[in-house]
Amino acid sequence: MTDFPQNARLATAALRDLFDPTPLQRNDFLSARYGAEIWLKREDLTPVRSYKLRGAFTAMRKVRDAQPGQGHFVCASAGNHAQGMAFACRHFGVQGTIFMPVTTPQQKIDKTRAFGGDKVQIVLTGDYFDQTLASAQTFCAQAGAHFLAPFDDEDVILGQASVAVEMMEQLGRAPDLVVLPVGGGGLSAGVTSYLREVAPEVDYRFVEPLGGASLMAALQAGEPVTLKRVNSFVDGAAVARIGARTFARLAWASPDQVLLAPEDRICGTMLEMLNVEGIVLEPAGALSIDVLPLLADRIAGKTVVCVTSGGNFDFERLPEVKERAQRFAGLKKYFILRMPQRPGALREFLEMLGPDDDIARFEYLKKSARNFGSVLIGIETKQADSFGRLTALLDAAGFAYRDITDDEALAEFLI
């Protein structure tokens, strides 16, 4: 056994200066659904509503121990890492300079400032994160500060391992399976590095957003690779390239252990946890729960721990989350309908709608020189098979239409 488990326990003990262990809660709703013991490790309940505080505090503490004169830390982040570092800066009484993209929502800027108080300066620069990161690193070198990496740092990884230390103490035994969200890999690297030594019988599943599967790509290639495109919706886990240090600790995993979660499906999981359990999760925080249906046959009768990594959700995004969830479930669709320009045509169409069908969007552009006009129409329903009935009626009546719900280019432009 290496020194990692003991160092992780020491890091966990040091965290008690900041906050008590986050709860490990048996979820009756999910347990009954899957016939298993489903436990949630509620990292959404840290003081900054994500596990990122653990790594930021641990790395900062160790730098301060080694270099007591270091009183300035720099990071680049638009989210949870920034808030974790800000909280740690205020705790240690050191100066923090946090670089954020210009496009960062005001809510995240305000929360970061609230956690750091007068110990934190926020610099908004760059439209994209790569530009922000470059500015932060240049400033850091010029200022003689310490750059606090969000995940690719051994001390950050050690801090994230405290999640596993607490989990084992709280559960009192090793779970059969641990389900972990993956972005840059810091949380997964820390948790698995600890558990593989103290509880080698534990199995793992890693969850990445479909539009940001950097661990899957690295495992397939045998080394970290940079994704050409990343969907930023799951902002807490949308990472184009997994860290070199984190991958070195995860290279043992098989691609079969990585599950990909479509962004729209995650929205349905977020809504269900909010409406049924009253748990507010950000998209990345819902990843581990989102894949449980894919594991249903494997987890019956077993003990499963899902790490809910964060709850920093801006409720201004709720309409978008609901929209995406409905579209994924097949309960909302958008059509371009070619409407004949004759009296009664609209009434004829409306009579095709069922009792549970509701028009959520209707835009009609009449062009008098033509015999037909284009209609953009959005329809919500309670049963997905209602759309099969509707399209059959449209076909029988000779209406020309096009379903653009899953047409990314048209949907983005028109919807």
Side-chain angles (χ1 to χ4, degrees):
M1 184 174 289
T2 69
D3 293 334
F4 191 88
Q6 177 60 23
N7 290 336
R9 286 189 281 267
L10 292 173
T12 305
L15 279 168
R16 298 292 79 90
D17 289 342
L18 268 71
F19 62 96
D20 293 332
T22 56
L24 179 68
Q25 299 173 338
R26 183 187 185 278
N27 188 274
D28 293 340
F29 167 66
L30 295 172
S31 296
R33 171 181 284 179
Y34 298 105
E37 292 284 328
I38 307 294
W39 296 78
L40 304 183
K41 181 58 172 164
R42 298 288 304 278
E43 290 305 290
D44 53 296
L45 296 180
T46 73
V48 299
R49 296 184 61 79
S50 90
Y51 71 93
K52 287 288 191 177
L53 175 56
R54 299 174 181 272
F57 171 83
T58 301
M60 193 175 292
R61 175 179 62 82
K62 297 197 76 175
V63 169
R64 294 276 295 164
D65 288 345
Q67 307 171 45
Q70 181 57 267
H72 191 183
F73 292 81
V74 173
C75 80
S77 171
N80 293 339
H81 179 56
Q83 294 172 35
M85 185 180 122
F87 196 99
C89 284
R90 188 174 65 178
H91 173 80
F92 287 110
V94 298
Q95 183 63 40
T97 304
I98 297 173
F99 285 73
M100 291 180 154
V102 174
T103 53
T104 302
Q106 189 63 41
Q107 179 235 23
K108 292 185 177 182
I109 297 171
D110 292 342
K111 288 184 70 175
T112 301
R113 186 174 287 115
F115 288 132
D118 61 2
K119 294 300 180 182
V120 167
Q121 178 185 6
I122 296 173
V123 179
L124 300 178
T125 182
D127 292 326
Y128 302 100
F129 182 75
D130 288 348
Q131 298 169 338
T132 306
L133 176 61
S135 296
Q137 291 173 330
T138 298
F139 171 84
C140 188
Q142 294 172 346
H146 180 87
F147 187 80
L148 199 64
F151 50 81
D152 204 23
D153 179 288
E154 288 297 329
D155 292 333
V156 170
I157 294 170
L158 184 67
Q160 316 307 22
S162 61
V163 172
V165 177
E166 292 178 6
M167 181 193 75
M168 288 293 287
E169 292 175 350
Q170 292 165 322
L171 193 60
R173 66 185 190 279
D176 296 300
L177 177 69
V178 176
V179 187
L180 293 158
V182 180
L187 175 65
S188 294
V191 168
T192 59
S193 293
Y194 181 78
L195 291 179
R196 292 182 76 215
E197 294 205 46
V198 304
E201 67 273 26
V202 175
D203 193 10
Y204 305 93
R205 290 297 181 274
F206 305 96
V207 192
E208 297 187 281
L210 182 62
S214 60
L215 174 59
M216 174 71 86
L219 290 173
Q220 291 173 337
E223 61 183 1
V225 296
T226 302
L227 302 178
K228 294 181 179 180
R229 184 182 180 188
V230 173
N231 185 324
S232 62
F233 177 76
V234 188
D235 48 358
V239 175
R241 184 184 181 92
I242 198 164
R245 294 177 178 84
T246 55
F247 180 70
R249 290 183 172 274
L250 295 170
W252 55 268
S254 164
D256 293 339
Q257 292 176 286
V258 183
L259 302 174
L260 305 183
E263 283 75 8
D264 289 356
R265 191 182 73 196
I266 295 167
C267 292
T269 300
M270 293 170 63
L271 287 178
E272 182 174 65
M273 295 308 294
L274 176 61
N275 293 330
V276 177
E277 295 295 277
I279 297 176
V280 177
L281 297 175
E282 62 186 89
L287 282 171
S288 61
I289 299 173
D290 182 72
V291 297
L292 288 178
L294 306 180
L295 300 170
D297 294 340
R298 295 175 176 267
I299 63 178
K302 296 185 177 180
T303 300
V304 180
V305 174
C306 297
V307 179
T308 56
S309 58
N312 282 310
F313 177 65
D314 184 352
F315 273 83
E316 290 186 2
R317 298 178 71 185
L318 190 58
E320 178 191 3
V321 169
K322 180 181 178 183
E323 167 93 7
R324 297 180 73 141
Q326 287 179 307
R327 286 161 61 178
F328 183 83
L331 300 178
K332 189 171 188 177
K333 285 184 176 292
Y334 290 89
F335 300 91
I336 294 178
L337 182 66
R338 197 162 176 252
M339 184 76 70
Q341 292 204 39
R342 57 173 172 78
L346 178 58
R347 180 182 293 107
E348 183 180 344
F349 167 74
L350 294 175
E351 289 174 349
M352 297 179 190
L353 299 179
D356 294 328
D357 298 339
D358 185 30
I359 295 178
R361 178 89 172 262
F362 191 93
E363 295 182 24
Y364 180 40
L365 181 60
K366 181 177 180 180
K367 297 183 177 180
S368 59
R370 297 183 180 180
N371 295 325
F372 293 87
S374 296
V375 176
L376 170 63
I377 187 166
I379 300 174
E380 295 180 6
T381 190
K382 294 181 179 179
Q383 300 292 332
D385 56 10
S386 296
F387 285 109
R389 172 191 166 276
L390 175 61
T391 54
L393 290 173
L394 288 171
D395 290 335
F399 278 81
Y401 63 91
R402 179 178 177 183
D403 183 347
I404 66 167
T405 309
D406 298 320
D407 187 317
E408 186 175 345
L410 277 177
E412 183 175 349
F413 181 72
L414 296 174
I415 302 173

